[in-house]
Each structure stands twice: as C-alpha cells, then as structure tokens.
Amino acid sequence: MITVLPIETPGLGDRTYLVHDGSTALVVDPQRDYDRVTAPARAAGVRITHVFETHIHNDYVTGGLALARETGARYLVNADDEVSYERTGIRDGDVVEVGAMRVRVIHTPGHTHTHLSFALEADGEQVAVFTGGSLLYGSTGRPDLLGPDHTDILVRAQWRSAHRLAQELPDSTAVYPTHGFGSFCSATQSAALASTIGDEKKTNTALTADEEAYVGQLLAGLDTYPAYYAHMGPANSAGPGRPDLSAPSAADPAELRRRIEAGEWVVDLRDRTAFAAGHLAGSLNFGLDGQFITYLGWLIPWGTPVTLLGESAGDVAEAQREMVRIGIDRPAAMATGGPEDWAGGEPLAAYERAAFEDLKAALDKRSEEEEFVVLDVRRGQERARAHIPGSVHIPVHEVPDRIGEIPPGRVWVHCAGGYRAGVVAALLHARGRDVVAIDDGFDNARDLGLCPVPAQTP
C-alpha cells in the first residue's frame, strides 16, 4: 500500500509530498525547513532514499539538497538544469525504482523550460502524478516568471504538457501539484484540495479549451508576483544549505530603538488589531495571522536586517521558520512580551481602525477644509472589478517606493479584507502619516454603494 502525505506550507501556498511503501520513502519538492519531512518519516518508520525536484523553484528556497545530504538520499534534478552542486541528473522517460514504487519522469515544460512531472506506479498500477507547477487543480503554473522573452513559448508548452499528462495517464490517477494553494506561481487560484486526471479533464481550462483560447485567457489573467521571486532561482541553482533555526539574540528597548533609527525593519508579529491599539513607534506590522512571509518578502528592500517582536518565543520561531523558506536566513534580533516591554517607557504609537461604514460617513460629511485620501492597496485586477471613485490606487507592493505620491492629509487605507491595509497603515504611520486602517471586507463597500460596479459592455 502506498501512502502519500502532503505537507502544507500555507504561507506560500505550496505542498511538499512524502511518499512511502511502508519502508522506503521518496520526497517531492521539499521546503527549506525539511525537518517537517524527516519527522513524519521517522514516525512512519520509513527511510528516505530519493528526493525529487520538479523544477528550480521561483517562490521558495528548496530544502532538497540539504535533506538529501542529511539522509544520504539521491537528489534527482533535471540533468539540463544548470546547478552548482552534485545531483543525479534525470530526463524525460527515465524510470527510477524506489522500494516497491516505480517513478517515471515526464518532461512537462511550461512553468519553466526544464520542468518535470513524476508519474508513480505500484504493483503495476498508475497511482499518482506529482505535477509541481504544471497541471494544477483547475489551473496551471504561470509561464511568465522567467521574463517576457520566455512567456509565449512557455504558455504554449504548458498547454501541451497538460494534454500530454491527460493523454498518457489513466483518469483514476491522483494529481498532486506543488503550487496552487495560494501560491503566486499559480496562474489562477482554486479551492480544490484533491483531484484526478479525470477530474481535471472536466474542469481544467488547459484541458477543456483549445490552445488559443487557453493562451489568451491565461495571459489576460496574469497579475504581478512577489519581488523576492527574483532571488529564489539563483539561490536554488547555487544549492542552499541547511537552515539555522536557532533563536536569535534578544534585544532590549535601547537596541530596538537604535535599529529603527538606523533604518532596519523591526517587525511586530501581532495581529493588526493589537498593533493598531498600541505599538513600538517606528515598528512595522506583518501579523502571523495572514500571509506574513509573502508580504514581508515582497515589500522589504532585500538584505535589510529584520528584528522580530513576538508575544512569545514560539511566535518568533514561527516567523523565523517562514523567513528561511524564502532565504531570509537569520533575524538580526528578537524581543518577546508586549509593546510596553519593547518601548522601555516611551509612549506607544497607535492609530484608528474603521469599517467601510465609517468611511462612508466620513465621505458624506467631508468638508473643503478637511483633507483626507482613500488609498486602495489592492492589485490592479482587483481594482478593475470595482473601486471607490476618487480613491488613490497604489498596490501594496509599490507603496514603499511611492509614498511621495500619496496626497497630504489623513489616509484611509483599504484592501479586500484588512490584512494588506494593516501592513500599509503601519508602514505609513512609521513614516509620520496620519492613518486609518479599514479592517473590513470589500463586499461591504459594495453593499454601501461606495463602489458602483462598472457597467458591462453588451
């Protein structure tokens, strides 16, 4: 009996897979903190003998090389990938025996040129296919991460790869992608948690539409992706080592103040409600209750030292673990407790939170003397669907470089649900702006009549 254990990384929207036959195990696309793989392997009493990479990842730093070295496993990477370390090179059509399992290598370009999928057989039956960034649940991996010169070639290759998988594998084959659970590597998002080749034939646009329709729809739907992606491919090609998850040194209030004044990032990990109510002046807020590492990695000038403020050492450890997944290997320092502990007697900073109902009331009674701006920090495609007339649009990831474009006066910041608005409100407040963070769902803005939906063209 074959066991497939998905290991979730919700902060990045990815999955790693531990697969075993009861004694021998393989791993597909391990994250940097690979102790999340070795622990269940030990619990199951299985030995990891093979580590497979579907591609050189763009959205995280792999733990594959370090995991293979620690366990003595073979590290299987496309032979055509240019890497700086020893690995077992594999190509299309190769078959790898892993205990009672048989893995066939299938070249599925589209997300990258050298992308591979792995079809798993046991007892002569096709059990599963690990599709990485190729065939996802209801979608495919995006083809534009290698730059515009590659996009047209890759998007068409992606369509052909999806069809190859659908043609060569039986409908009952379980599909196990790496991306597609919130990852920006996915062309579109799906709520599905499981699927088969047969299911995808019925629902996946790559398999239900012809090539031109698929290409047009996919390219039209692509939006921006995190800036830190630019650093992931080079790191993975160089061969990342084992992460250091030991606790950083503790900082006292004087050190925290020095770091803020030096332009370093001191990041409060509490949720946006607690942060707005009172925080260390000059600190920033990326709460662990949201996509912490996606937005921290997206906004931070790469290489800036990061100090973590958490209510507990466990909160700091959780954030540190997420940071190593994108190659921010060591926090500069840490502090635990609460804002009073971190401020060392200095007054705490705070700002208002509000709902869209409050914004409507403010707009209704707005006078010529009262200056305020509504700042929409959603992505372009979100805004195109509906927005508040007169609002200023600066996507969250562009705010640090475009603060000077925000008109004077109080700034009411909103996104779609509150998390990104909280990130931006903290950033602006640290720069001396008077802010109100709208912590509300954008559907409420529609219901209040704040954002009339554009008329549909007949």
Side-chain angles (χ1 to χ4, degrees):
M1 180 176 177
I2 304 302
T3 299
V4 179
L5 176 64
I7 299 168
E8 306 278 355
T9 306
L12 295 176
D14 291 323
R15 282 180 174 179
T16 293
Y17 297 96
L18 174 67
V19 189
H20 68 82
D21 62 6
S23 60
T24 305
L26 63 88
V27 178
V28 180
D29 289 347
Q31 290 272 339
R32 184 82 182 284
D33 53 328
Y34 61 84
D35 58 330
R36 294 186 297 143
V37 175
T38 54
R42 283 194 301 272
V46 298
R47 182 170 67 94
I48 297 171
T49 60
H50 294 73
V51 178
F52 292 83
E53 296 281 12
T54 58
H55 60 293
I56 301 297
H57 301 283
N58 293 294
D59 65 331
Y60 66 86
V61 176
T62 182
L65 179 62
L67 171 61
R69 286 174 173 171
E70 180 172 309
T71 60
R74 293 172 65 193
Y75 191 34
L76 298 104
V77 179
N78 194 318
D80 294 327
D81 282 323
E82 297 183 4
V83 297
S84 302
Y85 48 83
E86 293 295 324
R87 88 297 202 182
T88 299
I90 50 176
R91 287 192 171 92
D92 185 62
D94 287 348
V95 175
V96 182
E97 305 285 346
V98 184
M101 300 173 286
R102 186 174 184 267
V103 179
R104 178 165 65 94
V105 179
I106 305 173
H107 183 213
T108 48
H111 191 45
T112 67
H113 293 289
T114 55
H115 189 285
L116 302 174
S117 295
F118 304 113
L120 177 68
E121 292 183 14
D123 297 325
E125 293 186 5
Q126 191 68 57
V127 176
V129 60
F130 299 91
T131 55
S134 184
L135 187 66
L136 311 184
Y137 295 158
S139 183
T140 58
R142 61 192 299 165
D144 60 328
L145 299 183
L146 301 185
D149 292 343
H150 301 268
T151 301
D152 187 65
I153 293 172
L154 287 174
V155 69
R156 294 177 184 279
Q158 191 73 290
W159 185 86
R160 292 191 295 271
S161 292
H163 279 261
R164 180 182 178 187
L165 292 172
Q167 291 163 6
E168 293 188 8
L169 300 172
D171 286 357
S172 59
T173 306
V175 177
Y176 292 110
T178 299
H179 304 315
F181 310 96
S183 170
F184 281 87
C185 278
S186 178
T188 59
Q189 299 301 326
S190 168
L193 298 176
S195 189
T196 65
I197 290 292
D199 293 334
E200 294 306 309
K201 285 181 178 179
K202 299 173 185 175
T203 60
N204 195 309
T205 304
L207 300 176
T208 60
D210 64 33
E211 182 175 351
E212 294 306 320
Y214 163 79
V215 168
Q217 181 176 328
L218 186 142
L219 294 182
L222 292 177
D223 206 342
T224 188
Y225 54 85
Y228 68 83
Y229 277 24
H231 305 281
M232 302 299 97
N236 288 325
S237 296
R242 180 177 182 174
D244 180 1
L245 293 173
S246 62
S249 60
D252 62 17
E255 180 181 345
L256 294 176
R257 178 52 49 199
R258 285 196 302 272
R259 291 187 177 278
I260 290 172
E261 292 175 353
E264 298 182 12
W265 278 30
V266 175
V267 174
D268 191 325
L269 302 171
R270 296 175 301 150
D271 66 53
R272 55 190 180 271
T273 301
F275 183 86
H279 57 269
L280 173 63
S283 62
L284 305 177
N285 182 221
F286 293 83
L288 287 173
D289 60 322
Q291 284 187 282
F292 159 76
I293 196 55
T294 293
Y295 289 107
L296 175 66
W298 204 335
L299 270 66
I300 193 169
W302 202 250
T304 301
V306 180
T307 294
L308 300 174
L309 307 179
E311 291 181 307
S312 68
D315 289 342
V316 172
E318 180 181 346
Q320 184 178 351
R321 181 177 286 271
E322 292 204 36
M323 286 165 59
V324 301
R325 292 173 186 158
I326 67 164
I328 304 177
D329 281 352
R330 291 294 296 165
M334 63 174 280
T336 57
E340 294 82 2
D341 303 309
W342 308 326
E346 293 183 10
L348 298 182
Y351 52 79
E352 291 183 35
R353 292 170 54 252
F356 281 109
E357 184 177 7
D358 302 307
L359 174 61
K360 185 177 188 303
L363 289 169
D364 288 344
K365 68 178 183 180
R366 186 177 193 172
S367 66
E368 293 184 4
E369 294 76 26
E370 185 182 10
E371 284 189 308
F372 71 84
V373 61
V374 179
L375 178 63
D376 180 351
V377 298
R378 296 173 302 157
R379 294 187 296 278
Q381 290 186 347
E382 294 175 281
R383 182 175 174 86
R385 289 191 287 270
H387 65 273
I388 298 172
S391 60
V392 173
H393 180 228
I394 304 179
V396 57
H397 57 282
E398 297 180 12
V399 169
D401 293 329
R402 297 177 60 189
I403 287 179
E405 299 178 27
I406 302 172
R410 170 169 277 206
V411 185
W412 291 66
V413 189
H414 84 82
C415 60
Y419 187 86
R420 290 172 291 176
V423 167
V424 172
L427 179 66
L428 295 181
H429 196 250
R431 304 285 182 88
R433 296 300 301 264
D434 178 17
V435 299
V436 179
I438 299 177
D439 194 357
D440 197 3
F442 195 69
D443 285 346
N444 290 330
R446 291 192 184 92
D447 294 342
L448 290 163
L450 283 171
C451 49
V453 178
Q456 298 297 314
T457 302

